[in-house]
Amino acid sequence: AEMSATAVAHQWGAVAGFARSSRAARTERVAALDVRSGRSKKAKDEKKAEKAEGKKPPVVSKQAKDAARKKAAASMRESVSKQGAAYDKMVRELDRDQYREYVLSVRHAPPDGGNDPEPVLSDWLPVCEVIVADRLQYEAKKFFKENGMEIPVTDQVGLSSEQIEGVPAIRAVIPTLADDIIAMAAAMGGSTARNVPVSELEFGVEDWGSFENAVDGLKAQAGAAVEKAKAAAILGVSVDDDLKDIKTVYRKLIATEHPDRNPDASIEKFNQIKAAYELMADRGGQSGATFEGLGDKAKRDFVKLNGAYSASAGGTDAKDPSKVTVALRSLTIYDRIKTVFTARNVSLQNRAAQAAKGKKTKPAAGDTSEVPEKEPVAV
């Protein structure tokens, strides 16, 4: 019988040793491989970990982000509104000597090694009024009023200052009002303030008289803004530039315009530059003064509530939050306050932007030696 060409080749190859059985070939190939158990638990975990590392987070659409922002903003507005209504109700239902009113301020203090503070909260920002009343008396007065009853004379006992002392009371309730305080901060400082974790905030309080003194001081300083703008234009700097940078520019100008060094310079120009620098160097303006330094310090009673949000907050002056009634009201209802602090917030943000820009810019090499400010003598 005739054999096919394929069969003959196969048979001859097998006899001559040119072809091996497919089973033997597979065995040899497998032996040459780096054998590992691809289905072991370890291998599965490694593969899963590798996949997780390269996995990208789900893409959130712009519409979804906008919807989330709107929802958060609406929730904060509702919080501000509810607290304001509760504040107004307490004022209506209580006599003036039965409650105390304060102003609450916040400041961003990131933990060590954290990011820089939010510019608008890099200094103390007053965010809301706080009203504090004794809960027992407030509830009793509401009960009698709602039922059309007169408060018995025997129950009309005046409260001691300790019963409605605001500082320990406010310290005690801050952890329970975290969301409301963030909402107040966003209303006063802008939308970026709402992204600051309440655990990274510091708190401070003062009575209304002290706060009014600070507002008066800030308003007076804001009146010098026009003069500062003129001085900055003379020096060729910005009102928000760092004082160190302004001083560098001033030294160069004063050296160029000094009559003893430049025969073409004028005493008038020299004096103009000097006066402009002296005004800019006085950092008492709204862009440089700290909140605690505003107004007459003798009339300020600003108190920092150290550790108010931490679980260990309290101490010897801690007050049981169940014994007081506290409500908040946004300071944005006062146009005068909102106007001066909005201007200050913008200034703080500009200064932060300039500082960040300065960090990225490598300082130019040059002569930093002092230039003697010898007064020219008129001839």
Side-chain angles (χ1 to χ4, degrees), residues 7 52 72 99-100 102 108 117 142 192 202 205 221 301 315 317 352:
Y99 61 85
R100 299 284 185 272
Y102 297 83
H108 188 198
K142 282 201 301 183
T192 55
E202 292 179 329
V205 294
Q221 292 172 354
D301 65 349
D317 66 340

Side-chain angles (χ1 to χ4, degrees), residues 77-115:
R77 286 195 297 271
E78 183 180 4
S79 176
V80 170
S81 178
K82 284 184 176 180
Q83 282 289 335
Y87 191 111
D88 293 338
K89 186 177 181 181
M90 288 177 66
V91 171
R92 288 195 306 269
E93 295 179 346
L94 290 172
D95 295 332
R96 185 65 188 87
D97 62 345
Q98 294 176 327
Y99 61 85
R100 299 284 185 272
E101 290 180 291
Y102 297 83
V103 173
L104 177 69
S105 298
V106 298
R107 179 172 65 179
H108 188 198
D112 293 339
N115 297 325

